[in-house]
Amino acid sequence: METVVSGIRSTGNLHLGNYFGALRNFIKMQQNNRCFFFIADYHSLTTHPDPSVLHDNVRSILTQYLAAGLDPEQSTIYVQSDVPEVAELYLLLNMQAYIGELGKTASFKDKARKNPDNVNAGLLTYPVLMAADILLHKADKVPVGKDQEQHLEMTRLYARRFNNRYGIEFFPESQPYNFGSELIKVPGLDGSGKMGKSEGNGIYLTDEDSVIRKKVMKAVTDSGPTEPNSPMCDGVKNIFTLMDIVSQPDTVQYFKDKYNDCSIRYGDLKKQLAEDIISAVAPIRQRIAEISGDEHYLQLVTRRGAEQARESAVKTVAEVRQIMGIKSF
Ligand code: TRP
């Protein structure tokens, strides 16, 4: 069985793009791998979040992942800052990370350009902290999006450097977890290619039914097909792509036929899509409401998660200290 490590950003609500794009794959991935999922709250400190909201963000994102199907019976689910070994490994790995390389990282340059007043060392060494998360459990695989690929490359670089310097095959060279053809790209309903937080076009797992209906009814379309089998505009294509994800195949076919013989009414199409999105979202929203009020459950999950994570973390850090020559009197 392979070990998989995945860090989860501690801010923002989950939208359909996150759910169908990544989360549903995580739910499958946890069934046949040794998975570690953690909320990356240390990483979020680079932007100096208000201390009064930090914990609520962690709670809310953890709740949403649990509600959507991350299973603490199958995986180790923890909060990064509950595992102090990550900070120690981060310190030790910093010795393998050169400032020149860190300064050239795409994410660093991007953030430094956008926030020139807050170019802190935590931001510079963000990839080292991420390497510590991954190498703490000696991960074989890491599910990463495009924006995190370079960080994973740097993780391999530090692992290799460590191994070479100390002449030992200790850290693995963690590879991207490949979801292959299962990876779904969820479009936005504003005619754009992608649903995303920064795009401002998200339908969230916490959205009420009425909010979902309103968002879907506003979806961008055109004035309708005038000739049989005419090509679809991007907006209409996106509606059908979403339908492919949430609706029954015969429902999709019904509306495709209607489009092709020019008898489609976009209002009906949208109403159907809205109801099918609601069927997918409502049970998760219900679970979010249940879990978020269940302090005891959240405590149980995070305590047990931290305990399990620390089993491998303590072992790894002890071995690294020993390899580097750190001994106690
Ligand atoms: N940097 C990742 C992101 O922004 C989150 C993350 C932190 C992570 N540590 C990780 C992802 C370790 C995978 C493995 O999405």
Side-chain angles (χ1 to χ4, degrees), residues 5-9 38 40 43 126 130 133-134 142-144 148 151:
V5 170
S6 181
I8 295 164
R9 281 173 225 194
F38 65 93
H43 278 99
Y126 183 109
M130 183 158 157
D133 294 325
I134 294 167
V142 183
V144 282
Q148 300 296 314
H151 294 158

Side-chain angles (χ1 to χ4, degrees), residues 64-282:
Q64 292 180 50
Y65 272 86
L66 291 169
L70 277 203
D71 181 3
E73 300 295 326
Q74 298 183 64
S75 311
T76 298
I77 302 170
Y78 63 100
V79 179
Q80 186 184 32
S81 61
D82 280 343
V83 177
E85 289 74 22
V86 75
E88 184 168 356
L89 187 58
Y90 164 65
L91 182 152
L92 299 172
L93 283 177
N94 263 313
M95 313 310 161
Q96 313 303 332
Y98 292 105
I99 288 179
E101 290 161 0
L102 289 167
K104 277 186 236 154
T105 313
S107 60
F108 173 75
K109 286 203 294 190
D110 185 48
K111 284 179 186 154
R113 189 170 42 77
K114 286 186 185 145
N115 303 296
D117 297 332
N118 186 27
V119 188
N120 61 62
L123 195 63
L124 183 70
T125 56
Y126 183 109
V128 190
L129 182 55
M130 183 158 157
D133 294 325
I134 294 167
L135 297 175
L136 200 56
H137 306 298
K138 298 189 169 183
D140 300 299
K141 296 276 166 69
V142 183
V144 282
K146 267 256 164 284
D147 63 330
Q148 300 296 314
E149 271 171 8
Q150 191 179 22
H151 294 158
L152 189 56
E153 258 169 52
M154 293 167 85
T155 301
R156 287 195 290 274
L157 182 65
Y158 305 149
R160 222 164 22 235
R161 265 191 201 140
F162 180 93
N163 292 350
N164 288 341
R165 176 154 293 135
Y166 299 104
I168 179 171
E169 275 307 303
F170 182 71
F171 285 126
E173 292 194 24
S174 312
Q175 300 297 323
Y177 189 100
N178 191 357
F179 293 113
S181 58
E182 288 174 55
L183 211 55
I184 298 176
K185 198 170 137 200
V186 180
L189 286 176
D190 51 357
S192 79
K194 186 171 164 257
M195 185 179 289
K197 189 173 126 197
S198 43
E199 285 80 359
N201 60 5
I203 295 175
Y204 290 88
L205 298 183
T206 46
D207 281 348
E208 297 288 339
D209 294 353
S210 58
V211 174
I212 295 176
R213 285 195 191 99
K214 221 181 262 163
K215 286 181 176 175
V216 174
M217 294 318 280
K218 277 201 294 201
V220 172
T221 55
D222 52 21
S223 51
T226 47
E227 285 170 39
N229 303 313
S230 45
M232 291 178 188
C233 71
D234 287 343
V236 175
K237 244 190 254 167
N238 288 347
I239 293 181
F240 275 104
T241 304
L242 262 173
M243 245 193 175
D244 276 328
I245 298 169
V246 294
S247 306
Q248 296 298 325
D250 52 347
T251 306
V252 185
Q253 197 52 53
Y254 170 84
F255 283 102
K256 275 193 181 150
D257 291 344
K258 290 231 154 214
Y259 181 90
N260 285 330
D261 68 16
C262 304
S263 66
I264 195 161
R265 292 206 315 228
Y266 288 146
D268 296 341
L269 175 71
K270 290 178 183 178
K271 267 191 202 134
Q272 180 71 45
L273 176 62
E275 293 318 305
D276 292 338
I277 289 177
I278 288 169
S279 301
V281 168

